[in-house]
Amino acid sequence: MKPWIVHISGVLVSFSAIAQQPGPENIEKLVITGVSPLGAQSVGSIYSINQVLNSEDLSPEQGASLARLLDGQLFSVSINDVTNNPFQPDVQYRGFTASPLLGLPQGLSVYLNGTRFNEPFGDTVNWDLLPTSALEQVSLVAGANPLFGQNTLGGALVLQSKNGFTFQQNKISLQAGDFGQQGINFESGGNNEEWAYYLNVNSYQEDGWRDYSDTEIKQLFSTISYQGDSHQAELTLAASDNSLIGNGAIPVELIPYEGRDAIFTRPDQTETALRFIGLKNQWVLSEDTNLVVNAYYRENEIVTYNGDDSDYEECDVGFGETLCVEDEDAEIAEGDDDFDGDEDEEGEEEFEADDAVHFVDYAALTPLEDISSFDPDDIDGTANTSLTKNRSYGISSELSGKLESANLSHNWIIGMGIDVASIDFSSDTEFALLNNDTAEDSRDVMGIGVYDLDSKVRLATDVQHLHLFFSDNIELNQHWSLQLSGRYNRSDIDMVDGVETGPGSLNGEHQFNHFNPAVGVHYQTEGFAFYTSYSQSSRTPSPAELSCADEDDPCKLPNGFVADPPLEQVVTNTIELGAKWQYESGLVSAAIYSSDSKDDIIFQQAGDRPSVGYFVNVDKTRRQGIELGLAHNMDKLDINAQLSYLQATFESSFMSFSPQNPLGPNRQVNPGDKIPGQPSTQASVSFDYALSDALALNADINYSSSQYFRGDEANENRQLSGYTIVNLAASYGFENGINLAIRLENVFDKEFETFGTYGEADEVLGDIYPDIESPEFIGPGQPRTLRLFASYAF
């Protein structure tokens, strides 16, 4: 434990001297006892203070997506608007990340009704797959709790859906707002005391506040539940078909010319199609023993289309002109021409194209004019496409109970499970024309039907995760309890390259094993609780990371992968101290933590765009911080205040490649340098005032401090500035079930940025804006936005 943590821990212990009467339960949003992945209630998670949001907190009026809701209501949570799409941000908690984008170390696990919801290919999290209105409760379990398995380095997000026993009405909700926001949601639920149903249909679309950034969301969610004397069962069905456009960061120097809503190149489109079925059964075997079994099948198909500038240039091979790799001697010319939308000889499905297409490689020297009508000098763009088919299924079980022994009470649980995934990944790079001749052009790309054979990827991956775990929460007396737990993980990852064989191929068989322990001590008296804990969790490198780990041959995420030097699995150890004090009118909470990660996996930028690079292990990283919370009730006024401080640092030396760094590539990173993209201080305060039984007003103020650009791991350049955002809201409920609400976000239209990286702007903009030279790219924050809501419950 670090010295400054030791000193502050004395402050937390001193809370015990001021314990008071317990306050009203309606302000209780932080709890120390938690749940296991399948929700065995006899087990408490005493390793941290967990944050809980209920169905009212999760209403659409609070945020456009689950990621936005977490950012707005939970402390130590921040987002990076890498794409500027509300359903595609990086969600960061205590310095760890859950993101839909490949290229980030995924350090948070997500569970829906007991089923792990991270994607099997890159452990990513797609925030667009579920309607937030279908959720009954969201719990953020802090720390490296081993019970939640893979990726639980910083915490676990546990999602519990509504069912017909918790939601017994019909409800229609409408929303509209700036930038073309339109949404309609229908919910219906009911029961006959034994059987219950719940249905949620959601449709949402917007133009986006950035140019060419429209989004369309279509979601369906349903549960069928059974509740008997000794048996409960719930069938969960979910489907979605979404199209998201997030055109990403823009050069800082472009803003004075075209505004903060401008785009660099386009389109950057992602389409997701989820199909999910899960069945959860719980049996009461005896007065003190319960068995929970959960089985699921999940499919998610992800298609991406990214328009970029080109890394190729015109070259003369002596008998005609063709394309060559920039700054390299290898020539490119005609190769295969089997890219016709059908299956190739290996039986792999290809992308469809309207025109005749060809693959080009480095072996032949055929002039481009023999296979295309386009002049090589005009080909200044690329269209990168990918298709990821994730198919996974699994079964898990938990047996829990209570045992009295030697004046001690044991709340125990043992569990096991297996998750199996089959993943087909394919990607291609098509040469294209970039529409950027004038400032009025839209900077989109048009493919010419010629593809780079060297960028062709066809990868089939089989993944199997096996786990066994136990936990024993021992009640020593009425005040003290001790919890011991551990989890054994075994992962097998087999990859088969559909393009190449032998040396240089993506073929590989990887196996990872690890046992993670945890121990915690909890003290509780009337109105006061205190805990201290040590916990460990780990994650194996994902197939996406294993296939993109060669610094001599960087890949283009999410499109290209190369032969894989082995990566080590990440192991995180967390020490935490915390306390909460509930008094007559409120709740005070405090926590201090330190998480040390060994062999952390980071993405090294190695090209002119943030998505070009490779994954590497970093020997040591550390994330430590302090969290303080206050919830206070003053008659009709509720005040909630949160403050968190994070120190996220590299703790070992390495060379950051970062070719677009303003100071040049190969920057030396030293222990103590801050991890980019992580604001050190966050603070928020919200005021909820019930003007009457029907009318409620809300105001919240949110502050986030400065952060370093990605690519500045050595902390040598300027930081993104901190910012403060103010939001206002009001709602009025009529007795007939109609409710109206209004929300104004970023009231003062503050200009701010949540994300920064480095790139090469002059390749695209040099002829239009010759003064643009800075490599700084930023993700601008959302301007002032008005949102309107109406609902009718019957």
Side-chain angles (χ1 to χ4, degrees):
M1 186 176 297
K2 310 305 176 285
W4 65 274
I5 295 183
V6 175
H7 291 308
I8 298 177
S9 66
V11 178
L12 302 184
V13 176
S14 67
F15 273 120
S16 60
I18 53 175
Q20 300 287 328
Q21 294 296 321
E25 292 190 8
N26 62 342
I27 62 171
E28 174 80 43
K29 281 196 176 182
L30 294 115
V31 295
I32 291 182
T33 56
V35 297
S36 63
L38 294 186
Q41 297 298 318
S42 64
V43 177
S45 173
I46 63 174
Y47 305 128
S48 61
I49 294 179
N50 305 327
Q51 302 181 74
V52 178
L53 300 176
N54 59 33
S55 57
E56 292 184 4
D57 303 320
L58 298 167
S59 63
E61 292 92 330
Q62 304 297 329
S65 67
L66 177 58
R68 300 288 181 181
L69 289 166
L70 300 176
D71 175 53
Q73 300 192 58
L74 301 181
F75 58 66
S76 290
V77 175
S78 65
I79 61 174
N80 282 340
D81 270 320
V82 179
T83 68
N84 277 126
N85 186 292
F87 298 91
Q88 290 182 297
D90 302 334
V91 174
Q92 301 180 128
Y93 175 61
R94 290 188 173 184
F96 295 91
T97 303
S99 170
L101 304 178
L102 295 172
L104 288 177
Q106 306 287 342
L108 302 175
S109 60
V110 179
Y111 286 83
L112 170 67
N113 292 351
T115 298
R116 177 178 159 85
F117 218 64
N118 298 71
E119 300 295 341
F121 186 53
D123 292 328
T124 54
V125 179
N126 288 294
W127 303 107
D128 62 294
L129 300 182
L130 298 171
T132 56
S133 57
L135 299 178
E136 178 68 23
Q137 181 175 284
V138 171
S139 302
L140 181 55
V141 180
N145 191 323
L147 295 182
F148 291 89
Q150 294 283 345
N151 289 92
T152 313
L153 306 182
L157 195 63
V158 182
L159 312 178
Q160 182 62 48
S161 71
K162 296 176 180 177
N163 59 42
F165 295 111
T166 61
F167 186 91
Q168 303 177 50
Q169 59 181 340
N170 303 299
K171 185 177 181 180
I172 299 176
S173 302
L174 303 174
Q175 69 176 97
D178 290 333
F179 314 115
Q181 295 180 66
Q182 302 176 53
I184 182 170
N185 178 261
F186 173 72
E187 291 181 90
S188 179
N191 68 83
N192 64 1
E193 297 184 355
E194 184 177 25
W195 289 90
Y197 80 93
Y198 173 76
L199 175 66
N200 188 304
V201 182
N202 188 56
S203 176
Y204 174 84
Q205 64 182 36
E206 64 172 52
D207 298 330
W209 70 270
R210 296 277 300 278
D211 293 339
Y212 308 106
S213 297
D214 54 295
T215 287
E216 184 176 9
I217 300 292
K218 293 181 289 185
Q219 300 162 325
L220 173 68
F221 187 90
S222 179
T223 60
I224 299 174
S225 308
Y226 169 78
Q227 186 170 284
D229 294 335
S230 60
H231 176 217
Q232 298 179 9
E234 187 162 279
L235 178 69
T236 301
L237 303 170
S240 65
D241 286 284
N242 304 327
S243 176
L244 316 172
I245 295 182
N247 284 309
I250 58 174
V252 170
E253 293 180 341
L254 180 63
I255 294 176
Y257 294 100
E258 298 188 3
R260 299 174 66 83
D261 56 353
I263 56 99
F264 182 52
T265 60
R266 74 176 186 96
D268 289 323
Q269 182 171 4
T270 301
E271 296 180 351
T272 62
L274 172 73
R275 304 294 183 265
F276 174 85
I277 181 170
L279 179 60
K280 182 178 178 181
N281 282 278
Q282 181 171 349
W283 291 272
V284 178
L285 303 180
S286 68
E287 183 179 354
D288 296 321
T289 309
N290 295 275
L291 174 64
V292 183
V293 177
N294 184 68
Y296 73 93
Y297 178 80
R298 183 181 189 272
E299 290 185 0
N300 190 23
E301 185 173 293
I302 304 171
V303 179
T304 68
Y305 185 93
N306 298 318
D308 294 307
D309 62 328
S310 178
D311 292 328
Y312 306 90
E313 60 185 8
E314 177 189 15
C315 61
D316 194 332
V317 295
F319 49 88
E321 293 181 342
T322 186
L323 292 171
C324 296
V325 179
E326 247 180 58
D327 299 325
E328 296 185 18
D329 296 329
E331 286 83 8
I332 307 173
E334 184 181 6
D336 300 328
D337 61 352
D338 62 350
F339 196 77
D340 55 7
D342 301 321
E343 293 187 350
D344 61 13
E345 293 180 359
E346 287 82 22
E348 297 164 348
E349 184 177 349
E350 305 287 353
F351 289 100
E352 294 184 358
D354 295 332
D355 303 319
V357 295
H358 302 266
F359 278 120
V360 294
D361 60 23
Y362 301 100
L365 297 177
T366 304
L368 187 66
E369 64 184 18
D370 290 354
I371 56 176
S372 173
S373 61
F374 293 94
D375 190 321
D377 190 45
D378 295 332
I379 301 173
D380 53 355
T382 55
N384 298 301
T385 54
S386 75
L387 171 62
T388 308
K389 293 183 177 180
N390 295 290
R391 296 176 296 274
S392 56
Y393 59 91
I395 186 169
S396 55
S397 62
E398 294 181 1
L399 182 66
S400 60
K402 188 172 183 178
L403 176 65
E404 303 290 340
S405 174
N407 297 322
L408 300 177
S409 178
H410 296 262
N411 295 282
W412 56 270
I413 180 173
I414 55 175
M416 63 183 299
I418 185 171
D419 297 281
V420 178
S422 176
I423 308 152
D424 291 322
F425 177 86
S426 55
S427 71
D428 292 279
T429 294
E430 180 183 7
F431 300 110
L433 304 180
L434 181 60
N435 184 18
N436 69 327
D437 293 331
T438 69
E440 288 72 30
D441 290 334
S442 63
R443 291 196 283 276
D444 60 338
V445 297
M446 182 186 73
I448 68 168
V450 179
Y451 292 74
D452 177 17
L453 180 63
D454 196 53
S455 296
K456 177 182 178 181
V457 176
R458 300 294 184 269
L459 178 64
T461 303
D462 291 320
V463 179
Q464 180 176 287
H465 298 297
L466 175 68
H467 69 266
L468 304 168
F469 69 85
F470 73 92
S471 179
D472 189 7
N473 188 1
I474 307 169
E475 296 178 10
L476 305 176
N477 55 44
Q478 63 178 342
H479 297 299
W480 291 93
S481 60
L482 170 69
Q483 184 167 358
L484 305 172
S485 63
R487 174 168 170 144
Y488 169 76
N489 298 308
R490 171 172 171 160
S491 299
D492 294 280
I493 302 174
D494 296 331
M495 301 189 299
V496 178
D497 193 327
V499 176
E500 297 186 21
T501 59
S505 73
L506 301 178
N507 294 330
E509 296 182 0
H510 307 268
Q511 185 179 103
F512 301 91
N513 300 275
H514 206 269
F515 176 76
N516 298 309
V519 58
V521 177
H522 179 214
Y523 172 82
Q524 183 165 349
T525 188
E526 190 174 32
F528 173 79
F530 165 81
Y531 71 92
T532 181
S533 67
Y534 161 79
S535 58
Q536 182 185 92
S537 191
S538 61
R539 80 172 181 95
T540 63
S542 70
E545 292 166 335
L546 289 168
S547 302
C548 182
D550 189 345
E551 63 179 291
D552 296 324
D553 197 358
C555 58
K556 290 177 287 187
L557 294 174
N559 304 303
F561 297 97
V562 295
D564 52 302
L567 291 172
E568 301 295 330
Q569 63 181 317
V570 186
V571 179
T572 298
N573 296 278
T574 297
I575 298 173
E576 185 163 344
L577 296 168
K580 68 172 185 174
W581 167 47
Q582 195 164 5
Y583 60 98
E584 184 176 359
S585 300
L587 173 71
V588 177
S589 65
I592 182 170
Y593 61 90
S594 179
S595 298
D596 287 333
S597 295
K598 180 182 178 182
D599 294 321
D600 208 350
I601 298 175
I602 68 169
F603 186 73
Q604 284 264 48
Q605 184 181 347
D608 62 347
R609 295 186 298 276
S611 60
V612 177
Y614 56 93
F615 293 98
V616 295
N617 285 116
V618 173
D619 288 344
K620 296 179 181 179
T621 60
R622 176 175 299 146
R623 296 153 176 93
Q624 56 186 4
I626 305 168
E627 298 170 342
L628 300 172
L630 169 68
H632 185 75
N633 174 260
M634 300 172 58
D635 193 18
K636 295 183 177 182
L637 177 65
D638 289 328
I639 302 174
N640 285 273
Q642 302 169 356
L643 173 67
S644 61
Y645 173 76
L646 170 68
Q647 196 176 72
T649 57
F650 299 105
E651 292 300 315
S652 58
S653 299
F654 69 95
M655 191 69 69
S656 174
F657 190 52
S658 190
Q660 301 304 320
N661 189 293
L663 299 178
N666 300 320
R667 313 309 303 174
Q668 179 62 48
V669 180
N670 297 309
D673 287 338
K674 293 183 178 180
I675 299 175
Q678 305 285 351
S680 59
T681 303
Q682 293 178 264
S684 67
V685 58
S686 66
F687 304 91
D688 293 280
Y689 185 72
L691 194 63
S692 67
D693 292 340
L695 179 61
L697 306 177
N698 170 266
D700 60 80
I701 305 169
N702 302 279
Y703 167 77
S704 184
S705 67
S706 59
Q707 58 177 279
Y708 284 99
F709 284 63
R710 288 184 192 166
D712 188 20
E713 285 76 13
N715 300 171
E716 298 173 300
N717 303 302
R718 82 170 184 99
Q719 300 183 58
L720 288 176
S721 300
Y723 56 89
T724 301
I725 301 298
V726 178
N727 305 309
L728 299 175
S731 64
Y732 189 89
F734 296 88
E735 293 183 356
N736 60 2
I738 295 176
N739 189 79
L740 303 177
I742 182 173
R743 181 174 175 84
L744 185 62
E745 299 174 343
N746 193 3
V747 172
F748 299 105
D749 205 19
K750 172 72 174 179
E751 294 185 352
F752 66 102
E753 296 83 36
T754 65
F755 169 74
T757 188
Y758 301 126
E760 191 174 17
D762 57 356
E763 289 285 331
V764 174
L765 304 175
D767 293 339
I768 305 172
Y769 306 115
D771 294 336
I772 292 182
E773 298 178 349
S774 172
E776 293 182 349
F777 281 61
I778 55 95
Q782 178 180 287
R784 180 168 49 227
T785 302
L786 178 66
R787 307 173 68 213
L788 304 172
F789 305 89
S791 64
Y792 174 53
F794 57 97

